[in-house]
Amino acid sequence: MSVTNPQTGTNVHEIAERIYRISTPIDLPDGTAFSFNQYLIDDDEPLLFHTGLRGLFPFVLEGVESVMPVTRLRHVAFSHVEADECGALNDWLAVAPNAAPLCGTIAAIVSVADLADRPPRALADGEALSLGHHTVRWIDAPHLPHGWECGFMMEERTGTMLSGDLFTQPGRGLPALTDTDILGPSEAFRGAMDYFSHSKNAGELLEKLARHNPTTLACMHGSAWRGDGASLLRALAGELAR
């Protein structure tokens, strides 16, 4: 792991082949330790998943540039429209002249076509995009955990699911990659501050994700996780059905 900004503790770690987690630890207003993670896929057409908050942009930029020149960036993607997901979108477009927003169709229609400084590329449910050696596939998941436009990306070469706010864990995001329990900590966090929409088809959507059989879950908050992702997603569905 490489710390790219000693002041903030922003660090970069390769969690799968040429997939890098850029993580910045913070303290929430109540003093709870937390983390914001972005994921960079370094390929012929590099992709950044999650833009980070605007205030964190300089530190995330340092993280990206520790891996590659930011001018190579081609795709700026995110799960849903929320400040930590896409707040710095236009900052990235300003420093990466060949990059464009990449999102689901609903997000493009209702928000991104208006708020972004460059037209988005919209992906339909199940649509795949080759980045070169890696291929990402968009998966619609409305209101899971929140946002009509919500969805996730599956990187098929490495079995990495860019899983957004699913399995949000408190703490400073260390270790960067774990194979220990993240369902317990994430459910305890949800119990204290429930951020799920609890849509009636959450179980069906989690099963839809499980069928992609991820072996790495790239969580936006907390450690990324390695193991039987299908079983973990189904276990989450069981918790939500209680």
Side-chain angles (χ1 to χ4, degrees), residues 35-46:
S35 62
F36 289 100
N37 303 329
Q38 295 76 42
Y39 291 90
L40 175 67
I41 303 178
D42 181 18
D43 209 321
D44 297 339
E45 296 190 9

Side-chain angles (χ1 to χ4, degrees), residues 133-156:
H133 296 287
H134 298 79
T135 296
V136 292
R137 189 176 301 276
W138 178 260
I139 308 164
D140 279 346
H143 306 294
L144 183 70
H146 44 250
W148 177 32
E149 73 283 358
C150 189
F152 305 99
M153 277 186 168
M154 180 70 190
E155 198 295 296
E156 297 181 333

Side-chain angles (χ1 to χ4, degrees), residues 22-237:
I22 302 165
S23 181
T24 304
I26 66 158
D27 290 320
L28 297 177
D30 66 357
T32 300
F34 201 57
S35 62
F36 289 100
N37 303 329
Q38 295 76 42
Y39 291 90
L40 175 67
I41 303 178
D42 181 18
D43 209 321
D44 297 339
E45 296 190 9
L47 179 149
L48 181 69
F49 196 76
H50 308 143
T51 74
L53 300 161
R54 289 195 304 163
L56 295 181
F57 172 72
F59 314 117
V60 182
L61 176 60
E62 288 177 339
V64 167
E65 292 207 304
S66 75
V67 177
M68 62 171 223
V70 70
T71 52
R72 290 188 53 231
L73 193 63
R74 292 290 300 276
H75 306 285
V76 185
F78 44 90
S79 172
H80 54 275
V81 178
E82 192 175 7
D84 56 355
E85 294 268 354
C86 61
L89 174 59
N90 289 327
D91 297 274
W92 290 106
L93 299 182
V95 297
N98 296 315
L102 182 68
C103 59
T105 303
I106 296 299
I109 292 171
V110 303
S111 296
V112 183
D114 179 70
L115 62 84
D117 288 341
R118 211 167 288 153
R121 175 167 182 175
L123 296 178
D125 185 29
E127 185 176 354
L129 173 66
S130 174
L131 305 179
H133 296 287
H134 298 79
T135 296
V136 292
R137 189 176 301 276
W138 178 260
I139 308 164
D140 279 346
H143 306 294
L144 183 70
H146 44 250
W148 177 32
E149 73 283 358
C150 189
F152 305 99
M153 277 186 168
M154 180 70 190
E155 198 295 296
E156 297 181 333
R157 177 184 175 90
T158 63
T160 300
M161 181 169 285
L162 300 162
S163 53
D165 281 337
L166 297 180
F167 303 106
T168 288
Q169 310 141 57
R172 301 185 71 79
L174 296 174
L177 180 65
T178 186
D179 59 4
T180 62
D181 175 45
I182 63 169
L183 180 60
S186 65
E187 280 298 280
F189 188 82
R190 184 176 69 86
M193 186 171 61
D194 194 358
Y195 55 92
F196 269 65
S197 67
H198 298 287
S199 56
K200 62 183 179 181
N201 62 340
E204 296 172 16
L205 290 173
L206 285 164
E207 179 59 32
K208 177 182 177 181
L209 298 177
R211 288 197 293 269
H212 289 270
N213 294 308
T215 55
T216 300
L217 296 176
C219 304
M220 185 174 186
H221 307 289
S223 299
W225 183 85
R226 181 167 51 200
D228 183 351
S231 293
L232 189 61
L233 287 160
R234 290 174 177 132
L236 176 59

